[in-house]
Amino acid sequence: MKIPISWLRDYIDLDGLSVEDIARKLTLAGLEVDEIKYAGLPMPEYKDGEKHEFKTSGIAWDKEKLVVAEIREVKAHPNADRLTLLDLFDGKESQTVLTGAPNIFHLKGTGKLDKPIKAAYAKEGTTLYDGHAEGLQLMTLKRTKIRGVESYSMVCSEKELGISEEHDGIILLDDDAPVGTPLADYMGDAVLDISIVPNMARNANVIGIARELAALTGREMRKHGNTETGKQVKNAVRSPQSVVDLVEIEITNPELNPRFVMGMIRDIEIKPSPYRIQRRLRLAGMRPINNIVDATNYTMLDIGQPLHAFDYDVLVGRVGQIGNLSNRKIKIITRAAKDGEKIKTLDGTERELTSTNVLVCDEKSSLAMAGVMGGEESEVTAKTRTILLEGASWNPIATRKTAQQHNLPSEASFRFSRGVHPAMAEQGVKRGLELMAEWSGGQIAPDLVDVYPLKPKDPTITVTTKDVKRLLGIDLTAKQIADLLTRLEFECKVEKDSVKAKTPPHRLDIGEGVVGLADVLEEVARVYGYDRIPETRMSDSLPPQIGNPKHEWEEHARDILTSLGVQEVVSYRMTSPEREGRLVAHDEYVALANPIAPERRVMRRSLLASLLENVEKNARAESIAMFEIGSVFEPNKNNLPNEPRKLAIAMTGLRTQSAWDVKDSASFDFFDMKGRLELLLSGLRLSGISYTPTDGVTYLHPSKAAEVKVNGQTVGVFGELHPLVKEKYDFEDSPVIVAEFDLDALQSAAPSYGITPVSEFPPVLEDIAIIVDESVAAERVEGLIRQTGGKTVTRVRLFDVYRDEKIGAGKKSLAYSLTYQSEKTMTDAEAAAIRTKIVKRLEFEVGAKLRS
């Protein structure tokens, strides 16, 4: 939010504080100042090499060369139809100034002006922005001749002074501008660009920032501003008829609309606002429209309550169209929109609504999208003479959804979507009516129509001196705590060593209970000064360390995979059925109500599909080995989706990347994946692992795939991607090897293990090779070896498979490395006896023969 310093001065005395001092105090209190833009006030001077504390822009106005002047006559240029010569008085002497400003061209040749026009006058040698150049480019006024007339000075536009981008006409100052006064003294300013975080939304207005400054500096805050904009209540003319007799309000859902207030002003004249108001609005980032619209925007920026003005006579005409003239009252209704209902907003766009949108309506149809934008039919125009002014409170979530759905970010929706206290609605309407009366000459109707069905509870929080000491580390008395909170308008009651602090009626960010205590202590710390809090050791004892076994187990799996040269990736959990359907099709998905893009409209059902998208994007790499651990989302009717955890691995490309000593390399294959899986499962201390063929996974190659089982339970599958599935992706020629595991099943099979001591007796290592039929699975042979050898056989590893006509057609040789271990030193004879027993068992069970 952009806050002009001159506006802050309406509410707090800032004498003795530089702009940088103000920015520093706000930043330390959580209102970070991103930039300071100078528009006339002197800029800080830094020595060479000295670091600027804040980002700054703009220019300072030379007090000798930039002054308030008055234009007394507008004359024709002798040699140019579009230029004029101004008879101008700068407070010391008369000047002849050449200009092409279109907003005073109509006065050319009219003679002496009955009422001189006040303007910003720049003398020869003044440094300004070039009003006709793109962007902000500085220039210095130099004496020159234009169409035969000497020019050495100028009257300025807002762009030339750095106030805004407006450069089509010169600034027309208010009539009370004192001629000859340095412009910097009259309207010099600086603007603080402040980041308003969600928990500081109450400060998205000038009074909010002034309140913070008053609390931080200990200075008194003026509740009603300065006399320029604070005298309207007393001086505003009141019309005789009350608005209560003319308007009624119906709120259909208080949860969506806790409060609705309306006031009225008659006999207004639509015209430009005073220049000082236009300038402030532009400095705050808003475009002046007319005195009525400007009054609503000024009020919103001033106190934080967005307003909306309706043309009352248009509303009366709409009532007449539905034959309800007998009822003199206009009925305003707030309700949720109907799906498919339409409204034409102020920007001329017809918008289709949904039931999440909230509307302001009359008995005929909708008038405005609540908290976001008004409707076109009842907008204020040059013909408007009576204003019905709305100030309301809207549900933040509904407002945020509406603004996002229709892509209508605005100053009003920014505030409503973060929460505006319902108590501000009445203040906002009164303030808006007062400004309209001052700037338009209208008559304010007595009373307000105020419907307030859902009053929020302003919590009362008890804070003790022990709380402050324990959580902030500072020693404060109860009176000191109360003083700090009172500066922020909390109502405080001191009771011995505690303070009962009632939340002020402009804040919605203070919770109850423990949360509320933390919120209030944050306020104590902010006003006390974060920079004043000493560094101390935490006085509380450290809480006991409670592990998260599931998370730790997953981290261990990650560590193993990365040590095996597999890189972890994290992909979007959102996808589309079409993208995921390339791998596997699902009938049902968890659909998103508000997707960020069409291709991200559902939650994924397959982790492997997400991983393959990453492989596809990196398919030009020589070698790819990736894994991902994450959740998939299975629909669950009438409940939240199930979110089982999965592990997916994918490999493709060369087994060894090209290098000076690597001329050629084979591609990854089935056994590269199997080897890594064996090491992973071994590292997870899983036992009873077996690999069996699978034919039920459609995306895997039918003869190059396997199921992984732990103690007979299937925990995952792996293999080469099916060629027909691979064609749907943009992969290279190398095979794509994939694996997908159920992490929950894997972890449930993981044993609880302790430390196994290293045997003090040496193992006996032996290799055997047996010849079996091609149909005999190596897994069965290994199982028979372990079963026959019992505890004595501690390790069985298949290290070779051999096929040749010499061993017979339909036969294969399986070579195993065996490890024997006993509780004593094993002799050769004992080892031979075990081997013989194993061979005989294999011969009996599978017809094996020992290969010589």
Side-chain angles (χ1 to χ4, degrees):
M1 181 179 176
K2 295 178 173 61
I3 299 287
I5 292 293
S6 65
W7 205 335
L8 283 176
R9 291 185 186 276
D10 285 357
Y11 295 99
I12 182 173
D13 181 7
L14 298 177
D15 291 345
L17 289 174
S18 69
V19 177
E20 289 69 28
D21 291 336
I22 297 169
R24 189 180 305 109
K25 288 181 180 297
L26 291 174
T27 299
L28 288 174
L31 291 158
E32 185 176 353
V33 176
D34 293 330
E35 183 180 3
I36 302 173
K37 178 183 176 182
Y38 288 89
L41 289 184
M43 298 178 66
E45 296 182 1
Y46 292 94
K47 298 178 182 178
D48 291 341
E50 190 175 356
K51 185 179 179 180
H52 289 235
E53 189 170 358
F54 295 95
K55 180 182 177 182
T56 59
S57 62
I59 56 174
W61 298 338
D62 190 320
K63 290 190 176 184
E64 297 295 327
K65 297 177 180 177
L66 263 169
V67 299
V68 176
E70 63 179 20
I71 301 170
R72 296 176 172 175
E73 186 176 357
V74 181
K75 302 176 182 178
H77 189 288
N79 302 315
D81 292 338
R82 295 187 178 181
L83 299 179
T84 57
L85 299 177
L86 308 180
D87 180 7
L88 178 144
F89 179 66
D90 64 7
K92 294 182 179 178
E93 55 185 338
S94 295
Q95 310 283 349
T96 297
V97 181
L98 185 149
T99 183
N103 57 334
I104 58 169
F105 189 79
H106 63 286
L107 298 174
K108 182 176 69 172
T110 58
K112 291 284 184 180
L113 300 178
D114 296 333
K115 183 171 69 175
I117 297 173
K118 304 294 178 65
Y121 175 58
K123 302 178 182 179
E124 183 178 0
T126 306
T127 298
L128 302 166
Y129 289 116
D130 190 337
H132 301 286
E134 188 173 346
L136 296 176
Q137 298 183 26
L138 291 174
M139 67 170 186
T140 301
L141 289 180
K142 297 179 180 179
R143 191 175 291 264
T144 185
K145 278 192 175 183
I146 299 178
R147 295 290 185 93
V149 176
E150 190 171 53
S151 175
Y152 53 86
S153 59
M154 65 184 295
V155 282
C156 303
S157 68
E158 288 194 343
K159 180 175 181 179
E160 286 150 352
L161 294 177
I163 295 173
S164 72
E165 291 294 320
E166 183 66 38
H167 62 86
D168 289 337
I170 64 170
I171 297 172
L172 303 180
L173 299 176
D174 295 330
D175 295 339
D176 59 358
V179 176
T181 300
L183 201 64
D185 294 340
Y186 174 62
M187 53 181 264
D189 220 328
V191 180
L192 305 178
D193 192 346
I194 303 173
S195 290
I196 303 292
V197 293
N199 70 323
M200 289 280 189
R202 65 188 182 276
N203 292 325
N205 53 83
V206 175
I207 286 182
I209 301 299
R211 183 188 297 115
E212 293 288 330
L213 273 177
L216 296 171
T217 60
R219 302 187 182 199
E220 183 180 355
M221 179 179 164
R222 293 187 287 270
K223 296 291 185 181
H224 303 293
N226 65 12
T227 54
E228 285 186 302
T229 54
K231 60 186 178 182
Q232 297 83 5
V233 179
K234 294 181 180 179
N235 297 343
V237 177
R238 299 279 173 173
S239 65
Q241 190 172 16
S242 171
V243 66
V244 176
D245 299 328
L246 302 173
V247 180
E248 63 178 315
I249 297 169
E250 178 185 336
I251 296 176
T252 60
N253 187 345
E255 290 289 340
L256 297 176
N257 177 204
R259 188 179 192 182
F260 201 101
V261 180
M262 300 207 85
M264 180 181 288
I265 183 169
R266 294 187 178 89
D267 301 329
I268 63 167
E269 178 188 357
I270 302 292
K271 59 183 179 180
S273 304
Y275 178 70
R276 71 177 188 280
I277 302 302
Q278 296 184 44
R279 179 175 57 84
R280 282 186 177 180
L281 289 174
R282 285 198 175 99
L283 288 175
M286 300 198 74
R287 183 170 61 92
I289 306 296
N290 58 51
N291 51 354
I292 300 302
V293 177
D294 291 354
T296 64
N297 289 334
Y298 192 93
T299 300
M300 175 181 64
L301 296 176
D302 196 38
I303 70 173
Q305 172 64 48
L307 303 174
H308 184 70
F310 297 96
D311 188 323
Y312 174 75
D313 295 325
V314 170
L315 300 183
V316 171
R318 286 164 60 90
V319 171
Q321 291 174 14
I322 60 174
N324 197 25
L325 286 175
S326 59
N327 182 356
R328 299 288 296 174
K329 287 189 176 183
I330 299 293
K331 188 174 186 180
I332 301 297
I333 306 163
T334 67
R335 60 172 175 84
K338 300 173 184 176
D339 289 328
E341 188 173 357
K342 295 182 179 180
I343 183 174
K344 196 169 187 180
T345 47
L346 286 172
D347 57 1
T349 303
E350 186 174 70
R351 302 182 185 276
E352 185 171 331
L353 307 174
T354 64
S355 57
T356 60
N357 307 142
V358 183
L359 293 176
V360 178
C361 311
D362 63 6
E363 293 177 284
K364 180 183 178 184
S365 61
S366 55
L367 299 172
M369 294 169 63
V372 178
M373 183 173 283
E376 186 179 64
E377 188 172 349
S378 60
E379 71 174 316
V380 176
T381 67
K383 297 179 181 179
T384 301
R385 291 296 173 264
T386 303
I387 293 292
L388 191 60
L389 185 61
E390 166 215 319
S393 175
W394 303 107
N395 182 283
I397 296 175
T399 304
R400 183 164 57 250
K401 286 183 176 180
T402 299
Q404 291 177 346
Q405 175 187 340
H406 297 281
N407 192 24
L408 279 175
S410 66
E411 292 285 351
S413 64
F414 173 86
R415 289 161 175 80
F416 281 131
S417 63
R418 287 159 177 78
V420 177
H421 198 291
M424 301 304 298
E426 180 184 3
Q427 298 178 41
V429 172
K430 288 181 177 179
R431 178 72 163 144
L433 291 173
E434 292 160 5
L435 294 178
M436 290 178 186
E438 181 186 10
W439 301 340
S440 72
Q443 298 181 358
I444 300 174
D447 307 317
L448 297 175
V449 183
D450 187 354
V451 178
Y452 199 172
L454 190 62
K455 294 185 178 182
K457 181 181 178 181
D458 296 325
T460 298
I461 306 298
T462 300
V463 185
T464 68
T465 55
K466 290 182 179 179
D467 292 331
V468 175
K469 177 63 176 177
R470 186 171 66 89
L471 295 173
L472 300 183
I474 53 179
D475 290 306
L476 294 176
T477 66
K479 186 177 182 307
Q480 289 173 320
I481 297 170
D483 177 61
L484 294 174
L485 292 174
T486 302
R487 296 186 197 179
L488 291 172
E489 299 183 8
F490 283 81
E491 293 182 14
C492 297
K493 182 179 180 181
V494 178
E495 297 179 352
K496 293 185 179 180
D497 293 331
S498 67
V499 176
K500 287 188 175 181
K502 183 178 180 182
T503 307
H506 61 264
R507 298 187 62 159
L508 293 173
D509 61 305
I510 304 296
E512 296 187 81
V514 177
V515 174
L517 176 61
D519 292 336
V520 173
L521 286 175
E522 180 186 2
E523 299 305 291
V524 172
R526 287 194 318 108
V527 180
Y528 180 80
Y530 289 134
D531 53 328
R532 295 177 57 198
I533 297 177
E535 294 182 6
T536 57
R537 292 181 179 273
M538 186 167 61
S539 58
D540 282 2
S541 60
L542 288 173
Q545 296 298 304
I546 300 175
N548 185 336
K550 185 173 183 179
H551 174 73
E552 292 167 358
W553 187 86
E554 284 190 8
E555 286 301 303
H556 182 46
R558 286 186 172 93
D559 292 341
I560 295 172
L561 286 167
T562 53
S563 69
L564 295 174
V566 190
Q567 181 181 9
E568 183 178 15
V569 297
V570 179
S571 56
Y572 283 108
R573 297 183 173 198
M574 300 162 290
T575 184
S576 67
E578 296 80 14
R579 295 162 72 97
E580 199 169 87
R582 294 187 294 174
L583 181 72
V584 59
H586 294 283
D587 294 331
E588 295 184 17
Y589 283 90
V590 177
L592 298 177
N594 187 22
I596 59 174
E599 64 271 18
R600 304 287 178 198
R601 66 182 185 274
V602 299
M603 302 301 290
R604 67 186 177 195
R605 293 286 304 272
S606 169
L607 182 63
L608 182 57
S610 296
L611 181 62
L612 286 177
E613 288 186 21
N614 277 306
V615 175
E616 183 180 32
K617 292 175 183 176
N618 295 275
R620 302 296 181 269
E622 278 191 328
S623 179
I624 298 174
M626 295 179 175
F627 80 92
E628 181 172 2
I629 291 176
S631 299
V632 297
F633 300 83
E634 299 173 350
N636 186 6
K637 290 185 178 180
N638 302 322
N639 286 297
L640 293 174
N642 299 323
E643 300 184 26
R645 302 284 289 173
K646 302 287 183 179
L647 162 66
I649 309 173
M651 301 165 60
T652 187
L654 301 180
R655 182 177 295 151
T656 306
Q657 294 190 42
S658 301
W660 66 272
D661 57 343
V662 180
K663 303 302 181 185
D664 194 15
S665 172
S667 298
F668 284 122
D669 61 18
F670 175 89
F671 293 102
D672 288 295
M673 179 66 78
K674 184 172 185 287
R676 283 167 172 78
L677 295 180
E678 288 177 340
L679 291 171
L680 169 64
L681 299 176
S682 174
L684 295 174
R685 302 296 182 93
L686 295 170
S687 58
I689 300 166
S690 59
Y691 302 90
T692 60
T694 179
D695 56 0
V697 184
T698 57
Y699 59 80
L700 293 179
H701 194 294
S703 60
K704 298 179 182 179
E707 284 185 350
V708 182
K709 296 182 178 180
V710 178
N711 299 322
Q713 178 189 359
T714 300
V715 294
V717 296
F718 73 98
E720 184 178 323
L721 201 62
H722 196 290
L724 295 179
V725 175
K726 183 184 173 187
E727 288 179 359
K728 299 176 184 178
Y729 292 86
D730 187 15
F731 290 142
E732 297 295 311
D733 295 334
S734 299
V736 179
I737 318 299
V738 298
E740 189 167 28
F741 283 83
D742 184 337
L743 271 190
D744 297 326
L746 264 184
Q747 188 172 8
S748 64
S752 299
Y753 57 87
I755 298 174
T756 303
V758 177
S759 176
E760 59 185 281
F761 302 103
V764 175
L765 307 178
E766 185 175 58
D767 295 342
I768 65 170
I770 59 171
I771 299 173
V772 295
D773 290 339
E774 187 68 52
S775 61
V776 176
E779 176 192 17
R780 175 159 169 72
V781 173
E782 180 181 336
L784 290 170
I785 292 172
R786 290 185 181 277
Q787 188 180 49
T788 306
K791 294 182 179 179
T792 309
V793 178
T794 58
R795 189 181 181 204
V796 180
R797 183 175 67 88
L798 177 67
F799 68 86
D800 184 52
V801 180
Y802 176 73
R803 297 176 178 87
D804 194 273
E805 293 180 359
K806 295 178 181 179
I807 63 174
K811 301 288 185 177
K812 63 183 176 183
S813 171
L814 302 177
Y816 290 91
S817 173
L818 308 181
T819 302
Y820 307 141
Q821 189 90 46
S822 181
E823 295 181 356
K824 63 178 184 176
T825 301
M826 186 176 289
T827 65
D828 291 342
E830 291 171 333
I834 297 171
R835 180 182 68 250
T836 301
K837 184 178 178 182
I838 291 172
V839 172
K840 285 183 178 181
R841 177 73 183 278
L842 292 175
E843 183 178 359
F844 176 77
E845 296 285 350
V846 297
K849 291 184 179 180
L850 190 65
R851 182 181 169 194
S852 58

